[in-house]
Amino acid sequence: MRKYIRWVFTLLFAALVLFVLYLEFGGRYILNTSDKRSITYEMRSSRKLPKNFILFYNTIYPNSLSSDSWSYVIGAFLKPRSSRRECPCNQTANRFFPILEIRNKKGIDQFLTARYIEHQFTQQECLASNFNKFDFLENRKGLSQVSQSLFNKKTEDLKPIEMAEILAIYEGPVKNNRHRNPEKARKRAAHFYKIYLNNSKTGN
């Protein structure tokens, strides 16, 4: 009887190990060559973000640039309201996922894609791709264009309150648009700015 139980536990443990390995490395097998090339091209064609914006984002979402999708998924179980923005590469995978040529797509495939991206690129590179490829509407594609449009500034010259407004638009381009919904846009920008100030004090 004990021998039988030991074999059962051994098989269960082996199955668990194989499943974890599949989650970690399965992305390289479910993505075809075309998908991998598309991801690589999109990522490498993105301009680097200036340090002030990287610092601002990482202050709003602490440790977002030093964690990974595993941390995000575990955190989502512990905090159901966790934002995907707390893991830029997971957000990148979510952006790519609808256009990937994966057969019989399942929810788990999005995580496999995220881990594939994280093996190839850093969270900062994912963050740069997300903001440089994002459509802020009103003919503003990417962080550089929206910075010029809203504040007539380069991104590296933006103040925290200005970056807070951009982050609000990034969260909801229509809902937090200063022309369409000025009050909502102002409140959401103020919300992010307050988080920035509070987290800055905590960090110090």
Side-chain angles (χ1 to χ4, degrees):
M1 184 66 177
R2 290 183 179 178
K3 186 176 181 180
Y4 173 76
I5 294 175
R6 191 182 303 123
W7 269 106
V8 170
F9 276 106
T10 299
L11 289 174
L12 289 175
F13 179 75
L16 178 62
V17 170
L18 289 174
F19 181 65
V20 171
L21 288 174
Y22 174 70
L23 291 177
E24 185 68 10
F25 303 107
R28 67 177 63 178
Y29 302 108
I30 66 168
L31 295 171
N32 61 30
T33 302
S34 177
D35 284 339
K36 292 176 182 177
R37 286 176 178 171
S38 295
I39 291 172
T40 300
Y41 175 79
E42 286 286 327
M43 297 294 291
R44 290 182 178 173
S45 63
S46 297
R47 298 171 55 185
K48 291 184 178 180
L49 297 178
K51 292 182 180 179
N52 64 323
F53 191 84
I54 294 172
L55 177 61
F56 176 81
Y57 191 93
N58 204 41
T59 303
I60 297 294
Y61 300 107
N63 304 315
S64 61
L65 302 182
S66 58
S67 59
D68 56 27
S69 289
W70 284 108
S71 301
Y72 165 70
V73 170
I74 294 172
F77 277 111
L78 300 177
K79 297 187 301 178
R81 297 184 65 182
S82 294
S83 169
R84 193 178 295 278
R85 292 175 178 82
E86 294 180 22
C87 179
C89 285
N90 195 281
Q91 191 177 1
T92 301
N94 188 60
R95 177 165 57 87
F96 277 119
F97 196 61
I99 62 174
L100 296 177
E101 299 175 2
I102 300 173
R103 293 183 179 179
N104 303 318
K105 285 183 182 177
K106 299 176 288 295
I108 195 174
D109 293 334
Q110 192 272 329
F111 180 84
L112 301 182
T113 302
R115 286 305 294 152
Y116 171 81
I117 292 173
E118 286 168 343
H119 283 303
Q120 309 298 320
F121 303 97
T122 66
Q123 294 288 353
Q124 283 195 25
E125 289 173 314
C126 288
L127 186 67
S129 177
N130 295 341
F131 274 88
N132 285 322
K133 304 297 182 181
F134 188 77
D135 187 355
F136 289 90
L137 302 183
E138 299 180 0
N139 295 317
R140 302 176 302 197
K141 182 73 174 290
L143 185 59
S144 179
Q145 287 189 11
V146 76
S147 299
Q148 288 289 343
S149 174
L150 290 177
F151 310 109
N152 195 28
K153 291 181 178 181
K154 294 180 179 179
T155 308
E156 51 265 34
D157 297 327
L158 293 177
K159 298 177 181 178
I161 186 61
E162 294 168 335
M163 291 185 282
E165 182 172 350
I166 290 177
L167 191 57
I169 299 173
Y170 181 70
E171 180 184 66
V174 175
K175 180 177 66 175
N176 298 326
N177 183 293
R178 61 159 67 172
H179 301 300
R180 301 184 185 186
N181 299 296
E183 187 62 21
K184 285 185 178 180
R186 185 190 64 78
K187 287 184 177 180
R188 198 56 182 167
H191 166 75
F192 283 124
Y193 184 59
K194 183 177 180 180
I195 293 176
Y196 170 78
L197 293 178
N198 290 339
N199 288 353
S200 295
K201 292 176 182 178
T202 303
N204 293 333

